[in-house]
Amino acid sequence: MSDTFPPGFLWGTATAAYQIEGAARENGRTPSIWDTFSHTPGKVERGDTGDIAVDHFHRRAEDVRMMADLGVNAYRFSVSWPRVQPTGRGPAIQRGLDFYRGLVDDLLAHGIEPVLTLYHWDLPQELEAAGGWPERETAYRFAEYARAVAEALGDRVTRWTTLNEPWCSAFLGYGSGVHAPGRTDPVAALRAAHHLNLGHGLATQALRAVLPASGQISVSLNPAAVRARTQSPGDLDARRRIDALANRVFTGPMLTGAYPEDLLADTARLTDWAFVRTGDAAVSRQPLDSLGINYYQPAVVSAAAGQDASGQGAGRKDRRDGHGASEHSPWPGAESVAFHQPPGELTEMGWSVDPSGLYDLLLRYTREAPGLPLMVTENGAAYADKPDADGAVHDPDRIRYLHGHLSAVQRAIADGADVRGYFLWSLMDNFEWAYGYGKRFGAVHVDYETQRRTPKSSARWYARLAGTGVLPEVPIG
């Protein structure tokens, strides 16, 4: 197996608007569901909010220069929907678009390709007040917003992503309630999943109508590498159930134009899926130029004996699925499934370090979507990084993590996967959703008091990789 990545491979970093921008009330921006959620007592650790985040709105030029110094050739960022369309309806405001025009111009001036994500979880609060993603109208509003952004930036941005991790939007936002808007209704979660699928399809149609022929459209999913704890019939059925809820609920409509029959059967006691109208799944299936894969850890599942006497089932607060603690499950119709901590080393998030899950997913979607290029649009790890006495930040654990996962990408390519790029999560430490500022994923350390940026050892290691296309060795010590 060659240790050199293919020519033209994209080496990027990734961020999300609410996690880094700050300027929550400037230039006409209105609250998103994450503004409301983070300001609700008890929802985010330590009461942290994204009001300031890492002040990227005001430090944009500095941050782009830092990216250039790191040698990356692509940057995946998201547009804040309430910054450019404050009510979620009607025309975009130019001062909101101007921030992203400036960002794109800065990136291009430094030889960095902009990779734009339209939705990374910051639904305008006004649309949530009207029902949010469980309501069909939100899908149409999303398509209108997509068109407005494409009309403003389509002449300079080639790569577009509709949604980031719609599973989290639907099932953590409306099922378990650990993400904004914090609702806990299993039927609302399934309705949200459908309208996210529909919104993806409608937005893709809107983008195609506006973008030049060179425009590239994708979606970034966070598919689960689901593994049965044993090969018993019950454990294998648990894997099937979670695979349907984690993966095929989106890839079914998006890639084949139909929901899987077993998913509909598993959830029939909750809903008859009457919210799916004739033709919806076909609208969701739009031609894509690539499929984004976000990966952090595998999921290990089994049948829960005796209604989960161990206290680890899909409906229990101490469920070990890696998606936060809640009395409410993000797995509707899967109360008979227990989750188990995968073996091995853990990150600061308590997530298993297991590159084989990434390899498995890349090969899976190579088989299931032949001819569709793949991108690893998120991969990374949180560790307790601290500056030493000289101010340097050494993070050897992250380097080992990246080396292992990038080796898995190389193996997948050698075995036939058409992987076109890799985006490290994240460019810099930031607001980590319900964990606030307590978890650091960045290749660049941020002092939240001073906003000083300090590239970590992993940033320099990644820069060597981006510059040569050859996977560097892991430093000793």
Side-chain angles (χ1 to χ4, degrees), residues 55-93:
D55 200 30
H56 174 69
F57 185 84
H58 298 111
R59 298 170 183 267
R60 183 193 77 210
E62 170 192 349
D63 289 342
V64 172
R65 288 194 298 271
M66 179 176 66
M67 281 183 253
D69 290 342
L70 295 179
V72 298
N73 59 21
Y75 174 52
R76 179 175 174 252
F77 64 96
S78 77
V79 172
S80 168
W81 190 345
R83 194 178 295 285
V84 304
Q85 197 185 38
T87 65
R89 299 178 176 83
I93 58 172

mmCIF file of all heavy atoms in Angstrom, residues 55-93:
data_model
loop_
_atom_site.group_PDB
_atom_site.id
_atom_site.type_symbol
_atom_site.label_atom_id
_atom_site.label_comp_id
_atom_site.label_asym_id
_atom_site.label_seq_id
_atom_site.Cartn_x
_atom_site.Cartn_y
_atom_site.Cartn_z
ATOM 1 N N ASP A 55 -14.773 34.325 18.292
ATOM 2 C CA ASP A 55 -14.742 35.664 17.683
ATOM 3 C C ASP A 55 -14.270 35.659 16.230
ATOM 4 O O ASP A 55 -13.665 36.611 15.749
ATOM 5 C CB ASP A 55 -13.857 36.601 18.515
ATOM 6 C CG ASP A 55 -14.165 38.070 18.245
ATOM 7 O OD1 ASP A 55 -15.318 38.390 17.921
ATOM 8 O OD2 ASP A 55 -13.233 38.892 18.359
ATOM 9 N N HIS A 56 -14.569 34.579 15.514
ATOM 10 C CA HIS A 56 -14.145 34.481 14.117
ATOM 11 C C HIS A 56 -14.753 35.580 13.261
ATOM 12 O O HIS A 56 -14.132 36.010 12.271
ATOM 13 C CB HIS A 56 -14.538 33.106 13.572
ATOM 14 C CG HIS A 56 -14.290 32.921 12.106
ATOM 15 N ND1 HIS A 56 -13.030 32.841 11.561
ATOM 16 C CD2 HIS A 56 -15.160 32.800 11.055
ATOM 17 C CE1 HIS A 56 -13.119 32.670 10.245
ATOM 18 N NE2 HIS A 56 -14.396 32.643 9.916
ATOM 19 N N PHE A 57 -15.930 36.055 13.617
ATOM 20 C CA PHE A 57 -16.566 37.118 12.837
ATOM 21 C C PHE A 57 -15.648 38.334 12.727
ATOM 22 O O PHE A 57 -15.570 38.965 11.665
ATOM 23 C CB PHE A 57 -17.898 37.510 13.476
ATOM 24 C CG PHE A 57 -18.687 38.508 12.680
ATOM 25 C CD1 PHE A 57 -19.511 38.105 11.644
ATOM 26 C CD2 PHE A 57 -18.614 39.876 12.963
ATOM 27 C CE1 PHE A 57 -20.247 39.025 10.900
ATOM 28 C CE2 PHE A 57 -19.342 40.805 12.234
ATOM 29 C CZ PHE A 57 -20.150 40.373 11.198
ATOM 30 N N HIS A 58 -14.950 38.657 13.805
ATOM 31 C CA HIS A 58 -14.061 39.819 13.809
ATOM 32 C C HIS A 58 -12.610 39.459 13.484
ATOM 33 O O HIS A 58 -11.807 40.346 13.190
ATOM 34 C CB HIS A 58 -14.108 40.521 15.169
ATOM 35 C CG HIS A 58 -15.464 41.051 15.514
ATOM 36 N ND1 HIS A 58 -16.237 40.508 16.518
ATOM 37 C CD2 HIS A 58 -16.205 42.050 14.959
ATOM 38 C CE1 HIS A 58 -17.381 41.171 16.598
ATOM 39 N NE2 HIS A 58 -17.390 42.098 15.660
ATOM 40 N N ARG A 59 -12.258 38.172 13.542
ATOM 41 C CA ARG A 59 -10.879 37.738 13.343
ATOM 42 C C ARG A 59 -10.726 36.913 12.068
ATOM 43 O O ARG A 59 -9.783 36.141 11.925
ATOM 44 C CB ARG A 59 -10.414 36.933 14.560
ATOM 45 C CG ARG A 59 -10.420 37.736 15.840
ATOM 46 C CD ARG A 59 -10.204 36.867 17.072
ATOM 47 N NE ARG A 59 -10.282 37.649 18.290
ATOM 48 C CZ ARG A 59 -9.250 38.203 18.920
ATOM 49 N NH1 ARG A 59 -8.027 38.009 18.451
ATOM 50 N NH2 ARG A 59 -9.415 38.917 20.005
ATOM 51 N N ARG A 60 -11.646 37.100 11.162
ATOM 52 C CA ARG A 60 -11.680 36.305 9.930
ATOM 53 C C ARG A 60 -10.362 36.350 9.173
ATOM 54 O O ARG A 60 -9.810 35.313 8.786
ATOM 55 C CB ARG A 60 -12.806 36.838 9.033
ATOM 56 C CG ARG A 60 -13.022 36.076 7.738
ATOM 57 C CD ARG A 60 -13.906 36.879 6.817
ATOM 58 N NE ARG A 60 -13.170 37.968 6.192
ATOM 59 C CZ ARG A 60 -13.718 39.134 5.826
ATOM 60 N NH1 ARG A 60 -14.988 39.376 6.060
ATOM 61 N NH2 ARG A 60 -12.972 40.048 5.238
ATOM 62 N N ALA A 61 -9.837 37.531 8.940
ATOM 63 C CA ALA A 61 -8.613 37.658 8.149
ATOM 64 C C ALA A 61 -7.448 36.949 8.833
ATOM 65 O O ALA A 61 -6.656 36.241 8.191
ATOM 66 C CB ALA A 61 -8.281 39.124 7.909
ATOM 67 N N GLU A 62 -7.344 37.108 10.146
ATOM 68 C CA GLU A 62 -6.290 36.430 10.910
ATOM 69 C C GLU A 62 -6.431 34.916 10.787
ATOM 70 O O GLU A 62 -5.433 34.194 10.605
ATOM 71 C CB GLU A 62 -6.393 36.847 12.379
ATOM 72 C CG GLU A 62 -5.522 36.060 13.337
ATOM 73 C CD GLU A 62 -5.864 36.312 14.800
ATOM 74 O OE1 GLU A 62 -6.643 37.252 15.103
ATOM 75 O OE2 GLU A 62 -5.353 35.550 15.653
ATOM 76 N N ASP A 63 -7.657 34.438 10.878
ATOM 77 C CA ASP A 63 -7.878 32.991 10.833
ATOM 78 C C ASP A 63 -7.576 32.417 9.456
ATOM 79 O O ASP A 63 -7.052 31.298 9.341
ATOM 80 C CB ASP A 63 -9.315 32.664 11.251
ATOM 81 C CG ASP A 63 -9.552 32.889 12.741
ATOM 82 O OD1 ASP A 63 -8.571 32.965 13.502
ATOM 83 O OD2 ASP A 63 -10.729 32.999 13.143
ATOM 84 N N VAL A 64 -7.873 33.153 8.412
ATOM 85 C CA VAL A 64 -7.555 32.667 7.066
ATOM 86 C C VAL A 64 -6.039 32.642 6.860
ATOM 87 O O VAL A 64 -5.503 31.692 6.276
ATOM 88 C CB VAL A 64 -8.256 33.517 5.998
ATOM 89 C CG1 VAL A 64 -7.772 33.122 4.600
ATOM 90 C CG2 VAL A 64 -9.772 33.354 6.093
ATOM 91 N N ARG A 65 -5.340 33.654 7.345
ATOM 92 C CA ARG A 65 -3.875 33.643 7.246
ATOM 93 C C ARG A 65 -3.305 32.454 8.002
ATOM 94 O O ARG A 65 -2.347 31.805 7.550
ATOM 95 C CB ARG A 65 -3.289 34.948 7.792
ATOM 96 C CG ARG A 65 -3.518 36.164 6.903
ATOM 97 C CD ARG A 65 -2.627 37.318 7.322
ATOM 98 N NE ARG A 65 -2.894 37.758 8.677
ATOM 99 C CZ ARG A 65 -3.796 38.683 9.012
ATOM 100 N NH1 ARG A 65 -4.533 39.267 8.054
ATOM 101 N NH2 ARG A 65 -3.978 39.034 10.267
ATOM 102 N N MET A 66 -3.890 32.136 9.155
ATOM 103 C CA MET A 66 -3.439 30.986 9.925
ATOM 104 C C MET A 66 -3.633 29.695 9.134
ATOM 105 O O MET A 66 -2.762 28.826 9.112
ATOM 106 C CB MET A 66 -4.223 30.928 11.239
ATOM 107 C CG MET A 66 -3.874 29.770 12.145
ATOM 108 S SD MET A 66 -4.773 29.882 13.716
ATOM 109 C CE MET A 66 -6.470 29.635 13.142
ATOM 110 N N MET A 67 -4.777 29.555 8.456
ATOM 111 C CA MET A 67 -5.014 28.380 7.609
ATOM 112 C C MET A 67 -3.956 28.284 6.518
ATOM 113 O O MET A 67 -3.445 27.202 6.219
ATOM 114 C CB MET A 67 -6.402 28.446 6.978
ATOM 115 C CG MET A 67 -7.542 28.053 7.880
ATOM 116 S SD MET A 67 -9.100 28.109 6.964
ATOM 117 C CE MET A 67 -9.833 29.562 7.666
ATOM 118 N N ALA A 68 -3.652 29.429 5.909
ATOM 119 C CA ALA A 68 -2.639 29.429 4.849
ATOM 120 C C ALA A 68 -1.288 28.993 5.400
ATOM 121 O O ALA A 68 -0.555 28.230 4.757
ATOM 122 C CB ALA A 68 -2.554 30.819 4.219
ATOM 123 N N ASP A 69 -0.953 29.449 6.595
ATOM 124 C CA ASP A 69 0.310 29.048 7.211
ATOM 125 C C ASP A 69 0.350 27.543 7.487
ATOM 126 O O ASP A 69 1.427 26.929 7.468
ATOM 127 C CB ASP A 69 0.523 29.814 8.517
ATOM 128 C CG ASP A 69 0.808 31.291 8.298
ATOM 129 O OD1 ASP A 69 1.176 31.657 7.160
ATOM 130 O OD2 ASP A 69 0.637 32.072 9.252
ATOM 131 N N LEU A 70 -0.829 26.952 7.735
ATOM 132 C CA LEU A 70 -0.891 25.510 7.990
ATOM 133 C C LEU A 70 -0.833 24.694 6.705
ATOM 134 O O LEU A 70 -0.722 23.462 6.759
ATOM 135 C CB LEU A 70 -2.168 25.169 8.760
ATOM 136 C CG LEU A 70 -2.281 25.731 10.183
ATOM 137 C CD1 LEU A 70 -3.610 25.337 10.808
ATOM 138 C CD2 LEU A 70 -1.126 25.250 11.047
ATOM 139 N N GLY A 71 -0.950 25.360 5.552
ATOM 140 C CA GLY A 71 -0.776 24.679 4.286
ATOM 141 C C GLY A 71 -1.981 23.896 3.792
ATOM 142 O O GLY A 71 -1.855 23.121 2.846
ATOM 143 N N VAL A 72 -3.162 24.091 4.418
ATOM 144 C CA VAL A 72 -4.343 23.374 3.931
ATOM 145 C C VAL A 72 -4.787 23.992 2.606
ATOM 146 O O VAL A 72 -4.568 25.189 2.347
ATOM 147 C CB VAL A 72 -5.492 23.410 4.951
ATOM 148 C CG1 VAL A 72 -5.082 22.726 6.231
ATOM 149 C CG2 VAL A 72 -5.962 24.835 5.240
ATOM 150 N N ASN A 73 -5.415 23.174 1.761
ATOM 151 C CA ASN A 73 -5.875 23.708 0.473
ATOM 152 C C ASN A 73 -7.386 23.773 0.365
ATOM 153 O O ASN A 73 -7.918 24.096 -0.693
ATOM 154 C CB ASN A 73 -5.289 22.897 -0.693
ATOM 155 C CG ASN A 73 -5.666 21.420 -0.645
ATOM 156 O OD1 ASN A 73 -6.624 21.025 -0.020
ATOM 157 N ND2 ASN A 73 -4.870 20.602 -1.331
ATOM 158 N N ALA A 74 -8.097 23.498 1.475
ATOM 159 C CA ALA A 74 -9.553 23.591 1.474
ATOM 160 C C ALA A 74 -10.031 23.912 2.885
ATOM 161 O O ALA A 74 -9.391 23.536 3.873
ATOM 162 C CB ALA A 74 -10.178 22.284 0.986
ATOM 163 N N TYR A 75 -11.150 24.609 2.963
ATOM 164 C CA TYR A 75 -11.734 24.979 4.256
ATOM 165 C C TYR A 75 -13.230 24.775 4.185
ATOM 166 O O TYR A 75 -13.918 25.380 3.360
ATOM 167 C CB TYR A 75 -11.403 26.433 4.600
ATOM 168 C CG TYR A 75 -12.075 26.952 5.855
ATOM 169 C CD1 TYR A 75 -11.987 26.249 7.055
ATOM 170 C CD2 TYR A 75 -12.785 28.151 5.837
ATOM 171 C CE1 TYR A 75 -12.602 26.737 8.208
ATOM 172 C CE2 TYR A 75 -13.391 28.650 6.975
ATOM 173 C CZ TYR A 75 -13.305 27.943 8.167
ATOM 174 O OH TYR A 75 -13.908 28.424 9.299
ATOM 175 N N ARG A 76 -13.720 23.897 5.038
ATOM 176 C CA ARG A 76 -15.152 23.613 5.110
ATOM 177 C C ARG A 76 -15.758 24.446 6.248
ATOM 178 O O ARG A 76 -15.423 24.259 7.413
ATOM 179 C CB ARG A 76 -15.382 22.122 5.355
ATOM 180 C CG ARG A 76 -16.838 21.729 5.466
ATOM 181 C CD ARG A 76 -17.005 20.213 5.574
ATOM 182 N NE ARG A 76 -18.397 19.904 5.818
ATOM 183 C CZ ARG A 76 -18.881 19.459 6.982
ATOM 184 N NH1 ARG A 76 -18.067 19.258 8.003
ATOM 185 N NH2 ARG A 76 -20.163 19.209 7.125
ATOM 186 N N PHE A 77 -16.624 25.361 5.892
ATOM 187 C CA PHE A 77 -17.274 26.240 6.870
ATOM 188 C C PHE A 77 -18.775 26.204 6.632
ATOM 189 O O PHE A 77 -19.248 25.738 5.594
ATOM 190 C CB PHE A 77 -16.763 27.679 6.737
ATOM 191 C CG PHE A 77 -17.109 28.317 5.416
ATOM 192 C CD1 PHE A 77 -18.227 29.131 5.273
ATOM 193 C CD2 PHE A 77 -16.310 28.109 4.292
ATOM 194 C CE1 PHE A 77 -18.552 29.712 4.052
ATOM 195 C CE2 PHE A 77 -16.623 28.684 3.063
ATOM 196 C CZ PHE A 77 -17.747 29.490 2.948
ATOM 197 N N SER A 78 -19.536 26.692 7.596
ATOM 198 C CA SER A 78 -20.980 26.781 7.384
ATOM 199 C C SER A 78 -21.434 28.226 7.437
ATOM 200 O O SER A 78 -20.817 29.075 8.084
ATOM 201 C CB SER A 78 -21.743 25.939 8.414
ATOM 202 O OG SER A 78 -21.804 26.566 9.678
ATOM 203 N N VAL A 79 -22.523 28.475 6.731
ATOM 204 C CA VAL A 79 -23.168 29.777 6.739
ATOM 205 C C VAL A 79 -24.208 29.789 7.852
ATOM 206 O O VAL A 79 -24.954 28.820 8.032
ATOM 207 C CB VAL A 79 -23.834 30.059 5.377
ATOM 208 C CG1 VAL A 79 -24.687 31.326 5.429
ATOM 209 C CG2 VAL A 79 -22.774 30.180 4.285
ATOM 210 N N SER A 80 -24.247 30.867 8.603
ATOM 211 C CA SER A 80 -25.258 31.029 9.644
ATOM 212 C C SER A 80 -26.567 31.478 8.992
ATOM 213 O O SER A 80 -26.669 32.600 8.490
ATOM 214 C CB SER A 80 -24.793 32.079 10.656
ATOM 215 O OG SER A 80 -25.860 32.453 11.513
ATOM 216 N N TRP A 81 -27.545 30.594 8.989
ATOM 217 C CA TRP A 81 -28.832 30.916 8.361
ATOM 218 C C TRP A 81 -29.427 32.215 8.925
ATOM 219 O O TRP A 81 -29.795 33.107 8.148
ATOM 220 C CB TRP A 81 -29.777 29.730 8.548
ATOM 221 C CG TRP A 81 -31.071 29.760 7.781
ATOM 222 C CD1 TRP A 81 -31.646 30.826 7.148
ATOM 223 C CD2 TRP A 81 -31.961 28.653 7.552
ATOM 224 N NE1 TRP A 81 -32.842 30.456 6.548
ATOM 225 C CE2 TRP A 81 -33.055 29.124 6.795
ATOM 226 C CE3 TRP A 81 -31.932 27.316 7.945
ATOM 227 C CZ2 TRP A 81 -34.115 28.299 6.421
ATOM 228 C CZ3 TRP A 81 -32.987 26.491 7.565
ATOM 229 C CH2 TRP A 81 -34.062 26.989 6.808
ATOM 230 N N PRO A 82 -29.481 32.420 10.261
ATOM 231 C CA PRO A 82 -30.080 33.670 10.742
ATOM 232 C C PRO A 82 -29.215 34.906 10.531
ATOM 233 O O PRO A 82 -29.686 36.018 10.732
ATOM 234 C CB PRO A 82 -30.297 33.396 12.236
ATOM 235 C CG PRO A 82 -29.311 32.350 12.579
ATOM 236 C CD PRO A 82 -29.179 31.494 11.364
ATOM 237 N N ARG A 83 -27.968 34.716 10.102
ATOM 238 C CA ARG A 83 -27.152 35.890 9.778
ATOM 239 C C ARG A 83 -27.503 36.430 8.398
ATOM 240 O O ARG A 83 -27.410 37.639 8.160
ATOM 241 C CB ARG A 83 -25.656 35.538 9.843
ATOM 242 C CG ARG A 83 -24.766 36.783 9.865
ATOM 243 C CD ARG A 83 -23.292 36.459 9.987
ATOM 244 N NE ARG A 83 -22.914 35.826 11.219
ATOM 245 C CZ ARG A 83 -22.809 36.441 12.400
ATOM 246 N NH1 ARG A 83 -23.106 37.729 12.497
ATOM 247 N NH2 ARG A 83 -22.433 35.768 13.468
ATOM 248 N N VAL A 84 -27.898 35.550 7.482
ATOM 249 C CA VAL A 84 -28.185 36.009 6.119
ATOM 250 C C VAL A 84 -29.678 36.063 5.818
ATOM 251 O O VAL A 84 -30.098 36.744 4.874
ATOM 252 C CB VAL A 84 -27.478 35.136 5.063
ATOM 253 C CG1 VAL A 84 -25.985 35.098 5.311
ATOM 254 C CG2 VAL A 84 -28.034 33.738 5.016
ATOM 255 N N GLN A 85 -30.503 35.377 6.605
ATOM 256 C CA GLN A 85 -31.960 35.408 6.410
ATOM 257 C C GLN A 85 -32.586 35.369 7.809
ATOM 258 O O GLN A 85 -33.046 34.329 8.273
ATOM 259 C CB GLN A 85 -32.415 34.218 5.562
ATOM 260 C CG GLN A 85 -33.810 34.378 4.968
ATOM 261 C CD GLN A 85 -34.247 33.115 4.251
ATOM 262 O OE1 GLN A 85 -33.966 32.004 4.707
ATOM 263 N NE2 GLN A 85 -34.953 33.271 3.141
ATOM 264 N N PRO A 86 -32.608 36.494 8.497
ATOM 265 C CA PRO A 86 -32.909 36.511 9.929
ATOM 266 C C PRO A 86 -34.236 35.874 10.331
ATOM 267 O O PRO A 86 -34.333 35.288 11.412
ATOM 268 C CB PRO A 86 -32.881 38.004 10.272
ATOM 269 C CG PRO A 86 -31.940 38.592 9.274
ATOM 270 C CD PRO A 86 -32.185 37.829 8.014
ATOM 271 N N THR A 87 -35.249 35.970 9.513
ATOM 272 C CA THR A 87 -36.531 35.382 9.883
ATOM 273 C C THR A 87 -36.713 33.981 9.313
ATOM 274 O O THR A 87 -37.711 33.321 9.600
ATOM 275 C CB THR A 87 -37.700 36.247 9.380
ATOM 276 O OG1 THR A 87 -37.709 36.248 7.943
ATOM 277 C CG2 THR A 87 -37.576 37.680 9.876
ATOM 278 N N GLY A 88 -35.743 33.542 8.502
ATOM 279 C CA GLY A 88 -35.900 32.265 7.830
ATOM 280 C C GLY A 88 -36.808 32.334 6.624
ATOM 281 O O GLY A 88 -37.139 31.308 6.031
ATOM 282 N N ARG A 89 -37.177 33.525 6.240
ATOM 283 C CA ARG A 89 -38.067 33.732 5.094
ATOM 284 C C ARG A 89 -37.628 34.991 4.352
ATOM 285 O O ARG A 89 -36.987 35.873 4.915
ATOM 286 C CB ARG A 89 -39.520 33.922 5.538
ATOM 287 C CG ARG A 89 -40.133 32.759 6.281
ATOM 288 C CD ARG A 89 -41.552 33.104 6.711
ATOM 289 N NE ARG A 89 -42.231 31.988 7.343
ATOM 290 C CZ ARG A 89 -42.113 31.646 8.620
ATOM 291 N NH1 ARG A 89 -41.312 32.346 9.411
ATOM 292 N NH2 ARG A 89 -42.786 30.615 9.109
ATOM 293 N N GLY A 90 -38.010 35.066 3.103
ATOM 294 C CA GLY A 90 -37.821 36.302 2.356
ATOM 295 C C GLY A 90 -36.404 36.517 1.880
ATOM 296 O O GLY A 90 -35.561 35.606 1.947
ATOM 297 N N PRO A 91 -36.117 37.716 1.407
ATOM 298 C CA PRO A 91 -34.797 37.984 0.835
ATOM 299 C C PRO A 91 -33.696 37.964 1.888
ATOM 300 O O PRO A 91 -33.928 38.260 3.064
ATOM 301 C CB PRO A 91 -34.954 39.383 0.227
ATOM 302 C CG PRO A 91 -36.078 40.000 1.000
ATOM 303 C CD PRO A 91 -37.008 38.890 1.354
ATOM 304 N N ALA A 92 -32.505 37.595 1.458
ATOM 305 C CA ALA A 92 -31.346 37.641 2.334
ATOM 306 C C ALA A 92 -30.923 39.078 2.562
ATOM 307 O O ALA A 92 -31.172 39.959 1.731
ATOM 308 C CB ALA A 92 -30.200 36.852 1.710
ATOM 309 N N ILE A 93 -30.288 39.341 3.707
ATOM 310 C CA ILE A 93 -29.792 40.685 3.970
ATOM 311 C C ILE A 93 -28.343 40.757 3.507
ATOM 312 O O ILE A 93 -27.541 39.863 3.764
ATOM 313 C CB ILE A 93 -29.944 41.078 5.451
ATOM 314 C CG1 ILE A 93 -29.210 40.110 6.377
ATOM 315 C CG2 ILE A 93 -31.404 41.152 5.846
ATOM 316 C CD1 ILE A 93 -29.183 40.570 7.826
#
